[in-house]
Amino acid sequence: MEQVKIVITGHIDHGKSTLIGRLLYDTNSLPDDKIKEIRKVSEDLGREVEFAYVIDNLQEEREQQLTIDTAQLFFKTKKRNYVIIDAPGHKEFIKNMITGASQADLAMLMIDANEGIKEQTTRHPYIIKMLGIKNLIVAVNKMDLVNYDEIKFNEIKKEILDSLSKIGLNPEFIIPISALKGENILNKSTNMDWYNGLTILEALDKFEIENKIKNYLRMPIQDIYDIDNKKIIAGKIESGKIKVGDEIKILPMNKNNKVKSIEAFNSRKDFAMTGENIGLTLENDNDVKVGMIISDSKNLPKIKKEFNAKLFWMNKELNLNEELILKCATQEVKCKVKKINKRIDSSNLDIIEENSKILKETEVGEVVIETEKEIVVENFSDLPELGRFVIIKDLDISGAGIIN
Ligand code: GDP
């Protein structure tokens, strides 16, 4: 069955955790003890249901790598399975999204009907757009706090549509909900007869998620092992397929080669596909190194020392031409930011400066990056795995970017 990855974004306290709790609860996806816990906590607090507490707890436990089964953030509809990529803090969200720790198919933006648009309400969509996530639902939450007022809803709807259109985003659905009370999530609200649209779960099921599998072969080399005098070249096939006897190229050195065998867990196989982790032996493995990219011999990727990118900066300050390290798939090279064409405030998308010399924390730069050696890249929209990178400064992941 198809599995769709959702990311839920929005300003703090606008109801992300509560919606996650509600989605899991309404679709019977929470284990019994969690349901009991929710009821108990809610009673203690004198509330109807208190999802936020339990979900936040769950996320905390997960962050600390305790024994939480990630399956708890899965839910199912008649049509398909969903997994919620949780985005604890703002910085983590951006880092996870850009580094590809989480590649979402679909995004949901939460807005508190009472508070309206806030800083993160515009910052997150910018990232959503940057990552090329086209499927977007806006949920106007806490409608119970504004007496389920249609006029209030329409005001916020207009405001958010204006703001999103500036970024070039056009949400498919804008849905008035109460995550806390479970209105227009699974069940239609009886308090908002003026709303004739779909519920959240109905809307989710409407999206067709495109199949992203490509024909061309790209396999970044992750490790090289010597086993029984054989050199096993290991990595994950990020796109395409491979079979024994295939003519391949090892990039960036651009030498022809041929697949001798495909090894997987002590067994041999004749072919392997996108998403598989495999080991290969090659006809000529002399100069093959970790960080090189295996491609088919016909559709070659771009090999570059300089490229344009959008860079989200998460550290104190980035200076032009300072020495940095860039990691893209398994490639790792020294690099510098040669130009910052635009320096952008990610909360309101204003251009702070053109031809800038610095980027500060949480700013986005439209930059030109120069690497010390040639590397293999793709446009992010063509193949995210080779189209995104992180920048290491002072041993920390300090920036994340996408290539365009
Ligand atoms: P997050 O920071 O975006 O994850 O927000 P939470 O889910 O933690 O919610 C923040 C607060 O708003 C909590 O106290 C929730 O109980 C409350 N809340 C969330 N959704 C609703 C809603 O639909 N109606 C009302 N009245 N309160 C809500």
Side-chain angles (χ1 to χ4, degrees), residues 111 117 138 155-167 169-174:
I111 306 171
I117 293 180
V138 173
E155 272 170 25
I156 291 181
K157 178 171 167 178
K158 185 175 177 312
E159 214 181 324
I160 189 71
L161 282 178
D162 280 352
S163 154
L164 291 175
S165 74
K166 276 191 218 152
I167 318 173
L169 278 174
N170 187 15
E172 202 91 6
F173 303 99
I174 302 191

Side-chain angles (χ1 to χ4, degrees), residues 11-18 47 50 52 56 141-142 144-145 177-181:
H11 198 71
I12 182 154
D13 280 345
H14 283 199
K16 295 180 295 294
S17 298
T18 307
R47 296 243 197 138
E50 184 54 64
D56 287 346
N141 189 30
K142 307 197 190 179
D144 54 298
L145 293 184
I177 65 167
S178 169
L180 191 68
K181 293 177 183 287

Side-chain angles (χ1 to χ4, degrees), residues 4-9 20 59 62 73-74 82-88 93 96-97 100-106 133:
V4 173
K5 289 186 191 157
I6 310 176
V7 63
I8 300 184
T9 69
I20 293 173
Q59 282 171 334
R62 276 206 324 162
L73 293 181
F74 283 86
Y82 291 88
V83 55
I84 300 172
I85 304 167
D86 54 338
F93 165 70
N96 289 352
M97 294 288 281
S102 38
Q103 180 74 27
D105 300 302
L106 204 154
I133 302 170

Side-chain angles (χ1 to χ4, degrees), residues 183-240:
E183 293 176 279
N184 288 340
I185 314 289
L186 169 72
N187 298 312
K188 271 216 150 56
S189 169
T190 50
N191 291 311
M192 292 180 270
D193 290 338
W194 47 264
Y195 175 72
N196 300 315
L198 303 181
T199 63
I200 295 281
L201 283 162
E202 287 168 346
L204 285 176
D205 275 353
K206 282 281 172 197
F207 288 100
E208 295 304 331
I209 306 301
E210 62 183 294
N211 176 358
K212 293 179 195 120
I213 291 178
K214 306 273 183 352
N215 283 326
Y216 48 78
L217 173 69
R218 302 289 183 259
M219 176 178 148
I221 299 174
Q222 187 128 35
D223 272 307
I224 298 179
Y225 306 101
D226 276 311
I227 300 174
D228 303 336
N229 292 326
K230 275 191 300 190
K231 220 182 209 180
I232 310 262
I233 295 164
K236 181 176 173 196
I237 305 180
E238 297 292 5
S239 111

Side-chain angles (χ1 to χ4, degrees), residues 218-281:
R218 302 289 183 259
M219 176 178 148
I221 299 174
Q222 187 128 35
D223 272 307
I224 298 179
Y225 306 101
D226 276 311
I227 300 174
D228 303 336
N229 292 326
K230 275 191 300 190
K231 220 182 209 180
I232 310 262
I233 295 164
K236 181 176 173 196
I237 305 180
E238 297 292 5
S239 111
K241 47 186 187 291
I242 193 165
K243 61 179 195 313
V244 175
D246 274 356
E247 304 277 348
I248 54 162
K249 290 228 186 214
I250 311 280
L251 301 167
M253 67 176 177
N254 205 7
K255 277 200 180 155
N256 290 323
N257 217 318
K258 206 168 179 178
V259 180
K260 220 156 87 179
S261 71
I262 301 175
E263 328 253 332
F265 295 110
N266 293 328
S267 66
R268 283 185 158 221
K269 46 202 263 172
D270 295 331
F271 72 93
M273 314 238 291
T274 305
E276 284 187 67
N277 284 293
I278 54 164
L280 299 174
T281 62

